[in-house]
Amino acid sequence: METITKTGKLVKGIGGFYYVDCDDEIFECKARGSFRNQSITPLVGDNVEININESGENTIDKIFERKNELVRPPLANLDRLFIVASLVDPKINTSVIDNLIAVAEYKNIEPIIIITKTDLDSSCEKYKSIYEKSGFTVFSCNNNDKTACEEIKPLLNDCCCAFTGNTGVGKSTLLNNIFPELELKTGETSKKLGRGKHTTRHCELFKTENGGYIADTPGFSSLDFMKCERILKEDLPHCFREFEDYLSECKFSSCSHTNDKGCAVIQAVNDGKIDPSRHKSYVDMYNEVKNIKQWEIK
């Protein structure tokens, strides 16, 4: 029986079948039993090697090393996370944004902030300043202007991206403006990907015309994302990139950077070098995880 070996990107998995994109051709595959024996589950986003059997079942034979992996949504090798927040309805919540940024940093994913509904509120520059000062790329857009998203498009090329944000922030409208072929209905699920309200919820990658992928992630709420990806207190300071220049300058090596004497991070906040809202988010996150031990995190 003749077989052909190819490498590609796993774009969907459902019911024990996996769908792999190899040079714009999708192959239905089953995973080798050896993965099950090693307690390895193929994830959407995996880069894999498959064997194509002309007279039998195609198989995933190898899963290449992952850059990162997420629990919910179950997704691997994400390059960029676009965090969408609206100025009004719902009102922007910097704590949610900061939590999502921290998880992205922890997972080696580049966070990009998008502020929407700029036509309905004048406070955009205030929030842009917080995150640009902290070292992040920030976009602002009026979703009623379909050309407002043009500068976002280049960041989607040749990489795997996901969009997250609370309900009502304008994710579907934004994605429609960027990629009309997605055919997303605002407030509803994707018809393009054939998911009705009674079908199984699963993660899927949608390929863009510029060689990238967008993760279509049902149930990808900010709350679930943060709950499933816990960060230990020892790692948390490194998930706030503007802290890095000051962490080694604290008086005590055990400094928690919350209210410690001789803390260089707190001094930087007082000197206006770190935004107070970012530090407050850090303190809130620290207090949530300070008693969690390594063995308690699966």
Side-chain angles (χ1 to χ4, degrees):
M1 182 172 60
E2 184 180 356
T3 62
I4 301 171
T5 301
K6 286 181 175 284
T7 58
K9 173 80 75 176
L10 200 164
V11 295
K12 182 171 69 170
I14 186 168
F17 288 93
Y18 299 96
Y19 299 85
V20 179
D21 177 15
C22 300
D23 300 322
D24 295 324
E25 187 174 0
I26 303 296
F27 295 92
E28 182 183 85
C29 305
K30 295 282 279 186
R32 288 280 189 193
S34 58
F35 293 125
R36 193 182 310 110
N37 296 336
Q38 299 173 65
S39 299
I40 297 173
T41 301
L43 293 177
V44 168
D46 273 334
N47 298 310
V48 298
E49 182 178 277
I50 66 173
N51 262 333
I52 303 164
N53 301 288
E54 294 184 348
S55 57
E57 189 176 75
N58 302 328
T59 58
I60 295 176
D61 287 11
K62 182 177 182 179
I63 298 173
F64 293 101
E65 185 177 357
R66 293 167 178 160
K67 172 183 177 181
N68 51 54
E69 61 181 276
L70 303 176
V71 176
R72 183 167 179 180
L75 186 63
N77 298 314
L78 193 63
D79 296 304
R80 289 184 174 132
L81 179 68
F82 289 84
I83 300 166
V84 186
S86 58
L87 292 172
V88 295
D89 192 29
K91 183 176 174 56
I92 194 167
N93 185 327
T94 56
S95 177
V96 170
I97 296 173
D98 294 337
N99 272 264
L100 289 167
I101 288 174
V103 173
E105 298 274 50
Y106 186 57
K107 292 289 185 174
N108 193 27
I109 302 167
E110 181 185 3
I112 308 286
I113 295 96
I114 301 176
I115 301 172
T116 63
K117 303 185 183 180
T118 56
D119 54 318
L120 302 178
D121 192 281
S122 60
S123 61
C124 181
E125 289 306 315
K126 166 189 170 184
Y127 295 105
K128 280 191 73 175
S129 175
I130 290 173
Y131 292 103
E132 288 177 341
K133 176 182 176 182
S134 301
F136 300 102
T137 299
V138 185
F139 295 99
S140 57
C141 63
N142 165 11
N143 276 345
N144 293 320
D145 178 3
K146 293 188 176 182
T147 65
C149 63
E150 287 299 315
E151 58 184 351
I152 298 172
K153 285 185 178 181
L155 292 178
L156 300 171
N157 296 346
D158 299 313
C159 62
C160 185
C161 304
F163 286 71
T164 187
N166 291 335
T167 301
V169 298
K171 280 184 299 181
S172 294
T173 302
L174 177 66
L175 283 168
N176 275 336
N177 290 343
I178 298 173
F179 296 109
E181 65 270 25
L182 279 175
E183 298 176 9
L184 292 169
K185 287 194 175 182
T186 54
E188 297 184 11
T189 56
S190 168
K191 305 301 181 185
K192 176 73 174 180
L193 299 174
R195 193 175 62 247
K197 62 182 179 181
H198 297 299
T199 58
T200 303
R201 292 155 69 86
H202 60 273
C203 182
E204 184 169 352
L205 295 183
F206 176 85
K207 194 166 189 177
T208 70
E209 61 185 12
N210 293 317
Y213 294 90
I214 293 179
D216 182 47
T217 51
F220 191 1
S221 73
S222 301
L223 181 60
D224 286 332
F225 189 38
M226 293 183 290
K227 280 165 53 176
C228 291
E229 308 293 348
R230 304 306 294 269
I231 305 170
L232 289 170
K233 65 180 182 181
E234 294 83 3
D235 298 319
L236 188 60
H238 301 285
C239 299
F240 284 72
R241 61 176 63 175
E242 65 270 49
F243 289 12
E244 286 293 342
D245 289 342
Y246 308 103
L247 296 178
S248 62
E249 302 300 320
C250 295
K251 185 174 182 179
F252 302 105
S253 60
S254 60
C255 185
S256 69
H257 319 294
T258 54
N259 59 359
D260 308 59
K261 183 178 179 181
C263 176
V265 171
I266 292 175
Q267 187 60 51
V269 175
N270 294 336
D271 292 343
K273 296 175 181 177
I274 293 176
D275 192 274
S277 73
R278 288 279 291 163
H279 184 254
K280 180 182 183 304
S281 291
Y282 166 81
V283 172
D284 291 344
M285 291 179 70
Y286 181 89
N287 287 332
E288 284 184 8
V289 301
K290 64 183 179 181
N291 295 320
I292 296 176
K293 308 299 182 185
Q294 175 72 58
W295 60 268
E296 296 179 279
I297 298 180
K298 292 183 180 180

